[in-house]
Amino acid sequence: MVSSLEPIHYNATRACGEFSAQILLGAMMHKPEWSSWWIRVSAGLVVLLWVGTAIAWAQANDNGGDDPAALVNPLIGTTNGGNDYPGATLPLGMLAWSPEEPRTHPRQQVQGVPGSMRDDRGRPAAPGGYEYSANRISGFSLTHLMGTGCAGASGDIPFMPYVGEVTSSPADDASAEIYGSAFIHDNETAQAGYYKVKLENGVTTELTATLRTGYGRFDYPAGKPAVMFVRTAYSETGSTDAYVKIDPSTQTVSGSVTSGNFCGYIGTVNRRSYYTLYFVAHFDVPFLSTGTWQDSAIRPGTKEARGGTTYGAKGFVPPGKGSGGWVVLDTSKSPSIGVRVGISYVSEDNAEANLRAEIPAGTTFEAVRQKAHAAWNDALSRVEIEGGMHDEQVVFYTALYHTLMGENLYSDVDGRYMGMDGKVHTVTAPQKAQYSTFSGWDVYRSQLQLLTLLEPDVAGDFAQSLLNQANQNGGEWDRWTHNSGITHVMNGDPAAPAIADILAFGGKNFGAKAAYKSLLQAATVPTAHDLSKEGCAVECVGQRPSLDQWLKLHYIPVGASAWGPAADTLEDAAADFAVSELARRMGDNAMRKQFLERAQYWKNIFNPQATPEGGYIQNRNADGTWPKFDPASGSGFVEGSAAQYVWMVPFNEKGLFTMMGGMEKASQRLNAFFYNPDGSLAVTASGGLHAELNNEPSIETPWLFDFLGQPWKTQEAVRRVLNTIWTNSPKGMPGNDDLGEMSSWYVWSAIGMYPEIPGRAELVLGSPLFTMVHIHRREGDITVKAHGAATNSPYVQNLKVNGKITTKTWLPDNFVEHGGTLEFELSATPDRHWGTGAEDAPPSFEP
């Protein structure tokens, strides 16, 4: 097997030359009367061969140059449960203008509610608003969440171009059969900062964006009424209020929608509104006529309407509800019309101010599109790669692109934003911007670390944003915030590891001491919400549900306020470890020791006699007894099984191995977890007893072979995932992207390292996918060179760190702090000696 791409290129070139010589020689050996014709044919074949070889070489070596944005494929992750959206946005942008597709099947299972069926044609085809397998668009909304589960959220203010007469209310067209339009993917283009689709109704839609504003260009067919619907009430999860106002004199449509309802179908806690989005849209052509609708009533000639859809009896949008407006556009001078749109969560005036600042009147669509592309290039070029196949480069830069779409800018150009307390606040120095949307259970694992590594000041602003949210929420840090709302979704207390992650990876421009003080209070003094069962299981309202039991029993027992008591125990242990790290950085040694001891409470739910094969982490009753147990079952856990969760002690794997009976037994267990009996890798869809690397509970597990002195198996398992689960296709992402968490795992893994330990900056090592990765950082660049890197050459033979040979399978935290250079020697054959010494394993932490 060839061990690097360079020999492949050389051999292909040499083969081409040898074959060319054979062709020309053959021409000379033919009869004289044939030779002239044969030489001409031979010359043509030679040219084609050399051109083909050059193209293949270029595809394998093209690193995007100065244009990594051109390698982004936003359609990756738009099916197979990825739930990403393909529309136009900027890094961490407030506005994301992207298609909304209705569900094509009226009865469809609800994500997160096993076995449930519903009649809900008004909901999007997927939580990101877009599902690649669908073929009908109901509108193009101004906001989106990236890669979430549940039934989506945001998707506010859909614009829908329509050709024809308006004869019935769009409120009665939940499946978009009348006012929506079909399309085919051959007529669709998705790029970083730009989206285009030609609809079956004849309208070509183009979208681009700035941070808080968007520009749409719509080409209508000639000779037919050119209508634009503004479906103000129809956020993805519905609304409780909406308002639209049409002003023909200024050629504007403005208004607002009040929404929320994230995962609201699961329980009544989140079946409420908690934000209002304001918008103003300027059209560049006059309005020939206007109209509005409210519920099932249409009102031609009117200019204002109000009314939300409600959330229905079960958290879903009921039919025949909601309001919006439409304009018939004057296309007599040009079939192409432009729409500049500004948004704000503060006021309509602020939406207008954002628009004036970012897309002032007279700005062309192409100018905004070019700036969007340049903004993505600036962000993506922080990580420069060389080598790899073209598809691998596309997947890499798309994963980095998705990583930078997770959180959203929330403050306006004047620094104002709507707080969790329903009041308008203004950011104060050193904070430059307020951010929203925090899926803590997901992103504390690796997305925040990557964001901080690349953009420490932005990450510091995000840490300050979380602290601001907590201060505005009575001191409680919520685990899943959406705009100005708390949703409580998932389990544990991810705020502590999130803040510790940001601090460890270089985000320092925030109130770290204030954050530590607040998190310490939350971890030691139970609140009324902590003691409440409201919202449980999925949406327990407390920051630390059942904190009283944690302090008393030193674990979360069966029957407590929790989604999964065993899973909550593990998450709380990780949170306490993060608090101990914050205490260390704050110089509070007493609290460092106390919380490091509390972080070991996971041992209290390790049952050494759980199965004949060995011990497991499992549910435990408050009286200390153990309930019935099945390691393949998810009972007591969250989106995973006991066999998948037993490894989730990333800060003390050595302690876990000891509990399992020692390194040898732990090795046998981990090998059985990752390998089928026939020796093939089991990394996804292999059942509850094996790894499931399409979801967060398992993504730290392939790196554990480093801790066991078997680093070649880490290298093998991670590369198998990169090569098989992640592909350059719409289904090329394993499961929900979860605000970029899963994409960040790919980026880290392709670089050849991973932030395994929450709240610390040590990096455990795999192997690089590319021959060179250069991370440009103000604090000090990181360069990763990999001699012999290739798709099927994951095995480390040798490693130098800053020029010195090492056998350690991890990097100390000062490598992240200062930067440095790694030089790998890779092969297609595993080296079962490198990195196997006891001193080579990554550190574990316990008192």
Side-chain angles (χ1 to χ4, degrees), residues 482-505:
H482 174 216
N483 294 335
S484 53
I486 54 175
T487 74
H488 327 294
V489 173
M490 303 309 296
N491 69 316
D493 180 20
I499 294 297
D501 288 341
I502 292 171
L503 198 58
F505 276 77

Side-chain angles (χ1 to χ4, degrees), residues 80 239 796:
N80 195 36
S239 60
V796 177

Side-chain angles (χ1 to χ4, degrees), residues 518-604:
S518 178
L519 289 166
L520 186 63
Q521 170 82 4
T524 52
V525 181
T527 67
H529 285 150
D530 293 336
L531 304 179
S532 172
K533 288 183 176 290
E534 185 181 7
C536 294
V538 180
E539 301 162 358
C540 294
V541 296
Q543 177 182 339
R544 288 268 188 144
S546 298
L547 177 59
D548 59 325
Q549 299 295 301
W550 181 255
L551 298 175
K552 176 183 177 182
L553 300 175
H554 298 176
Y555 62 93
I556 304 298
V558 174
S561 302
W563 182 344
D568 280 44
T569 297
L570 290 173
E571 293 287 354
D572 285 352
D576 278 356
F577 179 76
V579 172
S580 77
E581 281 300 302
L582 289 172
R584 179 179 67 85
R585 292 183 178 276
M586 297 300 115
D588 189 346
N589 194 47
M591 287 298 102
R592 181 194 66 80
K593 290 181 178 179
Q594 178 179 323
F595 276 84
L596 184 57
E597 290 173 357
R598 282 177 45 164
Q600 314 308 318
Y601 287 177
W602 60 271
K603 295 179 181 180
N604 296 321

Side-chain angles (χ1 to χ4, degrees), residues 35 43 59 102 436 510-511 519 543 633 831 846:
S35 61
Q59 287 180 337
S436 69
F510 71 100
L519 289 166
Q543 177 182 339
S633 169
D831 183 338
E846 63 179 330

Side-chain angles (χ1 to χ4, degrees), residues 94-98 140-144 155-159 214 277 279 341-343:
M94 178 187 293
L95 182 138
W97 208 346
S98 190
F140 299 90
S141 294
L142 301 177
T143 62
H144 287 84
D156 303 307
I157 317 295
F159 284 67
L277 179 74
F279 78 99
V341 184
I343 62 172

Side-chain angles (χ1 to χ4, degrees), residues 262-273:
F262 180 56
C263 298
Y265 63 84
I266 294 176
T268 58
V269 167
N270 282 351
R271 202 173 301 165
R272 57 188 171 82
S273 292

Side-chain angles (χ1 to χ4, degrees), residues 147-495:
T148 67
C150 281
S154 291
D156 303 307
I157 317 295
F159 284 67
M160 183 62 204
Y162 172 70
V163 178
E165 303 292 336
V166 181
T167 58
S168 62
S169 173
D172 295 322
D173 186 30
S175 57
E177 293 295 330
I178 301 172
Y179 298 118
S181 179
F183 74 104
I184 61 174
H185 293 297
D186 288 346
N187 292 331
E188 180 183 45
T189 300
Q191 300 171 354
Y194 174 73
Y195 179 82
K196 177 182 180 180
V197 63
K198 182 177 181 180
L199 301 172
E200 192 177 85
N201 67 15
V203 181
T204 296
T205 296
E206 295 179 89
L207 308 171
T208 190
T210 69
L211 287 172
R212 303 172 181 87
T213 70
Y215 206 141
R217 185 163 63 189
F218 303 87
D219 287 351
Y220 285 84
K224 297 180 180 180
V227 178
M228 180 66 77
F229 287 107
V230 183
R231 299 167 55 87
T232 45
Y234 300 90
S235 301
E236 285 185 11
T237 53
S239 60
T240 52
D241 193 19
Y243 173 70
V244 64
K245 178 181 180 180
I246 303 169
D247 186 349
S249 66
T250 58
Q251 298 170 192
T252 61
V253 179
S254 59
S256 64
V257 63
T258 300
S259 185
N261 194 31
F262 180 56
C263 298
Y265 63 84
I266 294 176
T268 58
V269 167
N270 282 351
R271 202 173 301 165
R272 57 188 171 82
S273 292
Y274 43 74
Y275 73 90
T276 297
L277 179 74
Y278 302 88
F279 78 99
V280 58
H282 289 254
F283 291 74
D284 64 2
V285 298
F287 303 159
L288 298 178
S289 62
T290 68
T292 65
W293 74 91
Q294 185 169 352
D295 296 339
S296 295
I298 60 169
R299 303 180 298 191
T302 59
K303 300 180 181 66
E304 293 186 60
R306 180 180 291 277
T309 63
T310 78
Y311 301 133
K314 296 183 179 181
F316 300 125
V317 180
K321 301 293 289 184
S323 63
W326 75 85
V327 294
V328 180
L329 301 161
D330 183 356
T331 56
S332 59
K333 294 183 179 179
S334 172
S336 179
I337 67 105
V339 184
R340 297 178 299 118
V341 184
I343 62 172
S344 167
Y345 292 94
V346 173
S347 68
E348 187 178 315
D349 287 343
N350 268 33
E352 182 72 57
N354 290 340
L355 185 60
R356 285 196 305 269
E358 296 185 5
I359 310 182
T363 306
T364 66
F365 179 91
E366 289 301 330
V368 178
R369 178 185 174 185
Q370 290 170 9
K371 287 183 178 180
H373 192 85
W376 275 112
N377 267 332
D378 181 63
L380 297 172
S381 63
R382 304 297 172 90
V383 185
E384 178 186 354
I385 62 174
E386 292 180 6
M389 303 304 291
H390 176 74
D391 279 357
E392 292 169 340
Q393 295 168 2
V394 169
V395 174
F396 179 85
Y397 276 116
T398 303
L400 182 56
Y401 165 85
H402 283 142
T403 300
L404 299 175
M405 290 167 60
E407 296 77 28
N408 301 118
L409 178 66
Y410 201 62
S411 53
D412 293 331
V413 292
D414 64 358
R416 293 196 292 165
Y417 66 95
M418 185 63 67
M420 293 288 178
D421 53 3
K423 299 176 182 179
V424 176
H425 298 261
T426 303
V427 297
T428 57
Q431 186 181 15
K432 294 180 180 179
Q434 178 77 8
Y435 291 89
S436 69
T437 311
F438 170 62
S439 63
W441 184 85
D442 305 296
V443 299
Y444 87 79
R445 301 168 198 267
S446 62
Q447 190 262 353
L448 289 175
Q449 292 92 319
L450 184 57
L451 174 64
T452 310
L453 185 76
L454 302 179
E455 296 280 3
D457 289 346
V458 172
D461 275 357
F462 187 60
Q464 186 63 49
S465 298
L466 293 176
L467 176 58
N468 292 343
Q469 290 178 354
N471 289 338
Q472 296 155 12
N473 188 41
E476 295 184 34
W477 302 63
D478 194 70
R479 66 186 67 86
W480 220 118
T481 64
H482 174 216
N483 294 335
S484 53
I486 54 175
T487 74
H488 327 294
V489 173
M490 303 309 296
N491 69 316
D493 180 20

